[in-house]
Amino acid sequence: MCTKGNLVLAGFVASVLILAVAASGCITTGTSKEKVLVVGTSADFPPFEYKDPSTGNITGFDMDLIKMVAQKAGYDRVEIKDMDFDSLIPALQTGKVDVVIAGMTITPKREQVVDFSAPYWKADQAVVVRKNSDIRVSSPDDLKGKVIGVEKGTTGALYVKNKLGNSVTMKEYNGYVAALQALLNGQVDVLVLDSPVANMFTSRYNVKVIYTIQTNEHYGIAVRKGNKELLNKINKALNEIMNSPDWNKLVAKYFGG
Ligand code: ARG
């Protein structure tokens, strides 16, 4: 039988136990001790990041690369967050993700708000049309009067806006799946997008690359502005990987050869 005194004692013992557990940090599960790198991407950009058609899992060159980088930098695993391309930098700034890897071009404007790793890939902008299209482009001026599809917030979109302005009609899409659909449906005449991805599309869909605009872009991994500690770790890991046989294996896996 419980007396009032015993109950008070039991309550006291219980609170001490709870406090002890909380103080030791053991109240959380063992797995929360894992070091997780939260990665933002926009998985519509094959072969860098895309959803595997059979499993729906996000895969690609960038995904393998960031896993290798994270491992070298002392992380136990990565957690991938997929979002629209133009949400990536805001997600980094607000702390929703620790890094962004998304075939993202290092630009002076972006460098004002985030920090980039050393470059790991090069790209230009390609002009893509339907395979049966008779559109010809031998200089960017030939795009005048065209309806051009781009992905929102990309360097392709910026190029069209800044260099072609009102001489064209630009349609912005949240992702290349929708942009490609618009091209195939005839809602746009051409797409302007990164050359490595355009080349990948030509092998999978009824489209062709008819012109390349030499924009000389370099992809980098982005971290929050001033996050030197993480940036240094990423650069060190990236440098090791790019100078090891793993790099050629990774390139061969996603680009063939
Ligand atoms: N390189 C271009 C840019 O930085 C396009 C990147 C698009 N990436 C993507 N995962 N959708 O603007």
Side-chain angles (χ1 to χ4, degrees):
M1 216 176 85
C2 260
T3 65
K4 200 175 164 205
N6 280 344
L7 269 180
V8 170
L9 182 66
F12 176 73
V13 170
S15 357
V16 168
L17 270 176
I18 288 170
L19 279 177
V21 166
S24 72
C26 292
I27 206 156
T28 48
T29 63
T31 50
S32 74
K33 288 270 161 65
E34 276 185 321
K35 270 192 89 187
V36 179
L37 184 69
V38 184
V39 176
T41 197
S42 190
D44 66 340
F45 205 59
F48 295 98
E49 45 269 333
Y50 57 97
K51 292 202 180 97
D52 183 305
S54 49
T55 63
N57 291 339
I58 296 172
T59 176
F61 184 95
D62 283 348
M63 300 300 100
D64 284 11
L65 179 58
I66 199 67
K67 279 178 203 153
M68 289 157 79
V69 165
Q71 199 192 14
K72 281 194 186 285
Y75 289 86
D76 298 309
R77 64 181 181 91
V78 302
E79 185 185 320
I80 308 290
K81 292 201 173 167
D82 184 26
M83 59 193 85
D84 290 343
F85 186 76
D86 68 343
S87 304
L88 288 169
I89 288 185
L92 194 54
Q93 290 176 304
T94 55
K96 279 196 198 114
V97 300
D98 301 319
V99 299
V100 165
I101 185 162
M104 185 177 271
T105 303
I106 303 168
T107 69
K109 194 146 179 248
R110 288 175 182 158
E111 276 179 319
Q112 288 173 6
V113 291
V114 299
D115 285 335
F116 281 101
S117 71
Y120 67 89
W121 204 262
K122 276 188 190 165
D124 290 303
Q125 292 298 312
V127 178
V128 176
V129 297
R130 289 177 293 281
K131 208 160 244 164
N132 61 7
S133 160
D134 51 18
I135 294 175
R136 291 211 185 144
V137 174
S138 49
S139 89
D141 275 355
D142 295 337
L143 289 167
K144 288 186 176 156
K146 300 278 184 286
V147 182
I148 304 181
V150 295
E151 183 176 38
K152 214 172 173 181
T154 59
T155 46
L158 275 178
Y159 179 89
V160 173
K161 201 180 286 170
N162 296 340
K163 297 274 156 65
L164 302 167
N166 291 332
S167 69
V168 300
T169 305
M170 181 173 88
K171 290 197 178 172
E172 294 179 289
Y173 296 91
N174 274 325
Y176 285 112
V177 176
L180 200 61
Q181 208 53 52
L183 178 67
L184 294 170
N185 288 342
Q187 287 162 311
V188 302
D189 303 318
V190 310
L191 293 184
V192 171
L193 77 154
D194 293 33
S195 47
V197 177
N199 291 333
M200 200 52 58
F201 285 161
T202 61
S203 64
R204 293 190 192 173
Y205 304 93
N206 241 342
V207 299
K208 60 185 178 188
V209 172
I210 54 163
Y211 184 69
T212 303
I213 307 164
Q214 305 290 337
T215 49
N216 232 321
E217 301 179 37
H218 298 272
Y219 296 169
I221 301 169
V223 301
R224 247 183 311 289
K225 190 120 204 90
N227 193 351
K228 283 238 166 56
E229 198 192 329
L230 182 56
L231 190 63
N232 289 342
K233 283 186 193 164
I234 289 175
N235 275 330
K236 186 167 175 278
L238 196 58
N239 184 50
E240 277 170 30
I241 295 163
M242 290 178 80
N243 287 302
S244 82
D246 291 344
W247 183 253
N248 290 341
K249 274 189 217 148
L250 183 62
V251 173
K253 178 172 173 192
Y254 289 101
F255 291 90

